[in-house]
Amino acid sequence: MKREAALSRRQMLAGVALGGAALGLAGCDRLSNTPAALSILDSVENLTRRVQRALLAPRDALAPEYSPADISKTFKPNGSTDPDDPDYVKARDEKFVNWKLGVGGLIDNPMQLSLADIRNLPSRTQITRHDCVEGWSCIGKWKGALLGPILSKAGLKPSARYIAFYCADTLEQTLDGTGQYYETIDLVDAFHPQTILAYEMNDEPLPVAHGAPLRLRVERQLGYKMAKYVMRIEAIESFSNISRGNGGFWEDRGYEWYAGI
Amino acid sequence: MSSSMPAIVSVKASRRIILRHSVLVRVTHWINALCFFFLLMSGLQIFNAHPALYWGNKSNFSKPFLALTARGDSDGSVVGGVTTIFGKSFTTTGVLGASRDENNQLVERGFPGWITIPSYQDLATGRRWHFFFAWLLALNGLLYVVNLLAGRHFRDFLPSGRELRSIPASIWAHARLRFPKGDEALHYNVLQKLAYLSVIIAFPILVLAGLTMSPAIDAAFPWLVSLFGGRQSARAIHFILAWGLVGFVIVHVVMVLISGVVNNLISMITGRYAIEEERHEA
């Protein structure tokens, strides 16, 4: 008798636990589509950014760098690997000799820089680890123009708070043009000594699959921040009026603007 | 509250009630349980974005030591799931590598939908759940550890030499479902001590391994990357420890169920734990 009671109690508990779990999981899916719930989950993004930035004091703490022996034999290209946007295809077929990087927005001296101009700017070479948000990592050697001196030369207006990178590739076909790749970073990362506009990868001109002619490297964040096929950079005060307003292609699709983790 | 000598609340003929868990331990226990549940399932969602593990700093895509993949037929539809561990492949259709989606279609998927949050493939949302509960778990764990050290409660989990020598006897007693009674039940037995101690050690390592996957944390603390033998190793350790804790939770729940479920649950809710006095006729 006693044993029976214990069993049924156990069964009841198990039933409650299983039922609760099933309800909970269906609830999780529903909450995952509820803006209010998502904004609660998102509240930690700012916390993460603030704490990580505090830990990165002095603010130019460098991402780990590796030796030539560590370079990945296969470096997985992600996102667009061969953009078919007509302007890009034309520039690519001309080997980017007529291509120019536009520098504009909240700056005193708008510029058009050819690849040759960019190659003559102060540069940095670094062997760093590229961490994809999906979880994998590859190590590559990058050479590029330091972003900081370009921005100093352009003369940022006091209202400039972010740098936007507009890219040649359309990663998703949309009617309103919001499928165009773009990214934004703040000035802390823009002036970081490892933040470069890379034109070489593993001692070769940057391959098309990895963003030729120019890609951004922001070594203390995840791969999706490192825009490929950069066509134009702009100093901006806010990214709320660009595309869907979240500061980047993937940010507009639910990923964090601050991708330090 | 002194932990080594619990206060006796009341004594009846055959049993006494002691205050076994402080309010802080009870609250942090349940918050921890909640966090672990959400972290595990959102973590498997994140893992599903690239269901393979590597050792070292980088991913050698041709040689993961663990990979969950799908087998397709000639026209490209998924027909089976394959789990590959150290080069050996096993068919795991329906659970690992390939499982049925909401339309009952067999699709390529590392872990199946019933064990991930959200149930469908959505890395961005999985990350949001994961980091929210990661913060909660870390702050909750910090509170617990500060209390553990400040109150010197960690002594409750340190087995003595005599206890360590009694491990075989304790295993034998557990196997026969003989659980300590009387004064012996006032403190944890040696298997409990070792199990709880490993969990108290495993959680911080799990959190550190998770943080080592962060490129910003690696810039701030490059030694973390070396400590775990690389970013991909840290990812693998994070995954393995998570499943180690799943193993603990299963054993823990089974033991809670078979060693007096009501008494155990009440003790973790109200703190009051009933101890049966030793009967000498046995």
Side-chain angles (χ1 to χ4, degrees):
Chain A
M1 196 61 208
K2 210 173 176 187
R3 171 162 297 197
E4 249 170 42
L7 261 181
S8 70
R9 192 164 54 206
R10 233 172 261 166
Q11 283 163 340
M12 194 185 75
L13 278 169
V16 165
L18 275 177
L23 263 180
L25 293 182
C28 286
D29 281 358
R30 207 165 307 135
L31 287 176
S32 298
N33 290 303
T34 309
L38 286 177
S39 74
I40 294 172
L41 296 181
D42 284 352
S43 59
V44 301
E45 185 191 341
N46 274 330
L47 181 63
T48 304
R49 180 176 52 83
R50 279 161 205 265
V51 170
Q52 290 204 339
R53 281 281 164 78
L55 292 173
L56 287 167
R59 283 185 165 192
D60 55 358
L62 298 184
E65 295 194 13
Y66 298 87
S67 79
D70 297 321
I71 294 173
S72 294
K73 289 183 187 70
T74 320
F75 196 116
K76 185 172 174 172
N78 221 16
S80 304
T81 51
D82 192 11
D84 55 3
D85 305 65
D87 289 350
Y88 180 79
V89 171
K90 183 167 176 287
R92 185 196 66 200
D93 291 347
E94 295 168 353
K95 305 221 178 305
F96 303 110
V97 288
N98 297 316
W99 173 89
K100 284 204 163 75
L101 173 74
V103 184
L106 300 171
I107 58 170
D108 296 326
N109 318 306
M111 299 185 282
Q112 292 283 328
L113 301 170
S114 71
L115 209 46
D117 296 335
I118 294 169
R119 284 177 171 274
N120 283 326
L121 292 171
S123 71
R124 192 174 197 276
T125 304
Q126 57 207 28
I127 300 174
T128 51
R129 199 187 67 220
H130 181 95
D131 298 328
C132 180
V133 69
E134 294 170 348
W136 50 266
S137 309
C138 290
I139 293 176
K141 182 178 181 182
W142 308 95
K143 183 182 181 186
L146 289 161
L147 182 60
I150 298 178
L151 298 175
S152 302
K153 208 169 142 193
L156 289 184
K157 291 191 194 295
S159 55
R161 288 186 56 212
Y162 303 96
I163 308 298
F165 302 82
Y166 297 96
C167 306
D169 58 317
T170 307
L171 192 46
E172 184 187 318
Q173 295 299 330
T174 57
L175 293 174
D176 58 359
T178 55
Q180 196 82 6
Y181 207 89
Y182 76 103
E183 258 303 337
T184 56
I185 59 174
D186 65 11
L187 298 183
V188 173
D189 273 317
F191 283 91
H192 183 259
Q194 284 172 319
T195 300
I196 57 175
L197 291 168
Y199 44 75
E200 270 183 27
M201 177 188 184
N202 298 340
D203 299 317
E204 301 282 343
L206 189 64
V208 168
H210 289 284
L214 209 60
R215 87 171 296 174
L216 176 66
R217 299 293 313 166
V218 194
E219 303 292 358
R220 301 182 303 181
Q221 296 204 45
L222 296 174
Y224 66 86
K225 294 302 282 188
M226 307 200 218
K228 308 198 284 188
Y229 317 106
V230 176
M231 297 291 118
R232 179 175 171 78
I233 65 181
E234 269 184 20
I236 55 172
E237 189 174 357
S238 153
F239 46 74
S240 60
N241 53 355
I242 302 173
S243 202
R244 296 183 198 167
N246 299 296
F249 176 91
W250 287 113
E251 289 84 333
D252 287 337
R253 286 153 184 83
Y255 289 84
E256 296 90 351
W257 177 80
Y258 177 71
I261 186 160
Chain B
M1 188 190 92
S2 161
S3 54
S4 41
M5 265 302 147
I8 294 172
V9 178
S10 73
V11 183
K12 280 186 192 159
S14 63
R15 60 190 225 154
R16 59 193 139 147
I17 305 282
I18 60 161
L19 202 52
R20 194 190 209 192
H21 303 298
S22 68
V23 171
L24 187 135
V25 167
R26 284 177 268 144
V27 171
T28 53
H29 169 270
W30 290 112
I31 292 179
N32 197 51
L34 181 84
C35 289
F36 184 66
F37 173 83
F38 281 103
L39 282 164
L40 175 75
M41 299 185 70
S42 58
L44 295 176
Q45 167 72 243
I46 296 171
F47 179 82
N48 272 359
H50 187 75
L53 294 176
Y54 314 86
W55 202 254
N57 256 311
K58 59 194 177 197
S59 307
N60 180 354
F61 299 109
S62 59
K63 274 196 194 131
F65 74 79
L66 176 109
L68 309 180
T69 50
R71 217 159 4 92
D73 61 11
S74 49
D75 60 323
S77 48
V78 174
V79 294
V82 180
T83 300
T84 308
I85 305 172
F86 296 110
K88 286 206 193 327
S89 292
F90 307 90
T91 298
T92 48
T93 309
V95 187
L96 302 176
S99 44
R100 300 205 172 268
D101 66 4
E102 54 270 39
N103 305 318
N104 209 30
Q105 197 74 27
L106 199 62
V107 292
E108 175 162 19
R109 204 135 196 280
F111 285 92
W114 56 263
I115 202 176
T116 68
I117 294 175
S119 63
Y120 46 87
Q121 186 64 44
D122 183 350
L123 171 61
T125 307
R127 281 167 55 83
R128 291 161 135 187
W129 283 99
H130 202 72
F131 297 139
F132 180 84
F133 283 100
W135 269 107
L136 192 56
L137 175 110
L139 296 176
N140 184 59
L142 197 65
L143 189 65
Y144 176 82
V145 169
V146 165
N147 175 65
L148 190 73
L149 297 177
R152 299 175 69 79
H153 300 301
F154 57 87
R155 289 175 303 182
D156 298 352
F157 301 103
L158 295 179
S160 67
R162 189 183 59 83
E163 281 180 312
L164 287 175
R165 283 188 294 278
S166 75
I167 289 175
S170 188
I171 292 175
W172 178 233
H174 277 76
R176 290 179 299 154
L177 304 184
R178 299 270 170 89
F179 300 111
K181 287 180 178 172
D183 288 345
E184 279 295 298
L186 283 174
H187 54 79
Y188 292 134
N189 65 61
V190 63
L191 296 185
Q192 280 177 303
K193 286 184 178 183
L194 291 176
Y196 295 141
L197 196 61
S198 10
V199 169
I200 292 168
I201 293 167
F203 262 113
I205 298 175
L206 187 79
V207 170
L208 281 181
L211 285 171
T212 305
M213 281 186 258
S214 151
I217 292 292
D218 292 356
F221 310 110
W223 55 268
L224 269 176
V225 189
S226 317
L227 180 72
F228 286 104
R231 193 222 184 206
Q232 289 301 316
S233 311
R235 183 169 175 262
I237 291 166
H238 192 70
F239 180 90
I240 293 163
L241 281 180
W243 281 108
L245 285 173
V246 172
F248 164 80
V249 169
I250 291 171
V251 174
H252 179 60
V253 170
V254 167
M255 294 310 293
V256 165
L257 289 176
I258 65 178
S259 66
V261 57
V262 172
N263 192 24
N264 286 327
L265 280 177
I266 286 176
S267 82
M268 205 33 112
I269 295 167
T270 68
R272 287 155 171 263
Y273 184 65
I275 288 179
E276 302 286 333
E277 298 305 342
E278 199 110 43
R279 267 173 275 159
H280 291 284
E281 70 266 17

